Amino acid sequence: MEQWVTEDDIHAARTRLEEGHPGWERPSAFAVGRERDGERSFPVVNVPGAMHGLPAIVLGRVLGHTRGTAVYDLTAAELRAAEQGLAPAQACTVFDHPNLFAWRDLLDDLRDTDLLFAVFVQDPADPPVDDRDRAFRRAAEKAAGRR
């Protein structure tokens, strides 16, 4: 299996994936969310200043997302594909890989009644897409305030 061992490997992989996904524009914020028993949660909230570009493009490629603000229903199989697409990054110990480990935890703890979704926000000024996007933006505001 391919492994991205150095920081340069990570940056090269991100660049290669971005260039191979026509129309891709990095979002300003994104996350994978879970709805369980009516409650929405976001294990990792990627916001400006704490943006992890590689997980964004990996998830974007799995979902066919290229740009804009959007919310996608996410199947366990799609999240597993994103997790596998990001897995080579684990070899690089320069980064903590919070998205990779959060995605694995979501998959390991997934209940039949859970709903998974992904949120991409291109521009914070864009109107929210739906209630999941609104919940994400509240979580993003809290995360941005913690930095």
Side-chain angles (χ1 to χ4, degrees):
M1 175 165 84
E2 180 180 14
Q3 291 191 335
W4 306 323
V5 177
T6 67
E7 192 170 349
D8 287 343
D9 292 344
I10 296 282
H11 295 301
R14 185 193 69 223
T15 299
R16 185 179 75 251
L17 291 171
E18 288 177 341
E19 289 174 352
H21 194 51
W24 174 254
E25 292 178 14
R26 288 184 195 165
S28 67
F30 80 97
V32 169
R34 174 179 63 199
E35 185 171 333
R36 175 180 282 174
D37 300 328
E39 297 292 322
R40 294 183 181 116
S41 62
F42 303 90
V44 176
V45 177
N46 297 276
V47 295
M51 175 59 69
H52 301 281
L54 182 60
I57 183 59
V58 168
L59 186 61
R61 287 173 64 102
V62 167
L63 294 172
H65 177 79
T66 55
R67 67 180 154 294
T69 296
V71 176
Y72 297 89
D73 293 329
L74 184 62
T75 66
E78 289 167 330
L79 184 56
R80 176 68 64 202
E83 180 271 330
Q84 290 172 349
L86 191 55
Q90 187 175 352
C92 180
T93 59
V94 174
F95 302 109
D96 293 332
H97 310 291
N99 288 282
L100 177 62
F101 292 112
W103 297 351
R104 286 176 178 169
D105 288 346
L106 281 170
L107 288 162
D108 289 345
D109 187 43
L110 195 60
R111 296 180 187 167
D112 290 341
T113 56
D114 289 346
L115 301 173
L116 297 172
F117 58 96
V119 180
F120 293 88
V121 175
Q122 193 68 43
D123 183 328
D126 291 346
V129 172
D130 63 14
D131 287 341
R132 295 172 295 179
D133 186 359
R134 285 182 193 84
F136 169 68
R137 291 181 196 223
R138 286 190 298 274
E141 286 175 10
K142 287 180 186 176
R146 280 186 248 146
R147 287 184 293 114

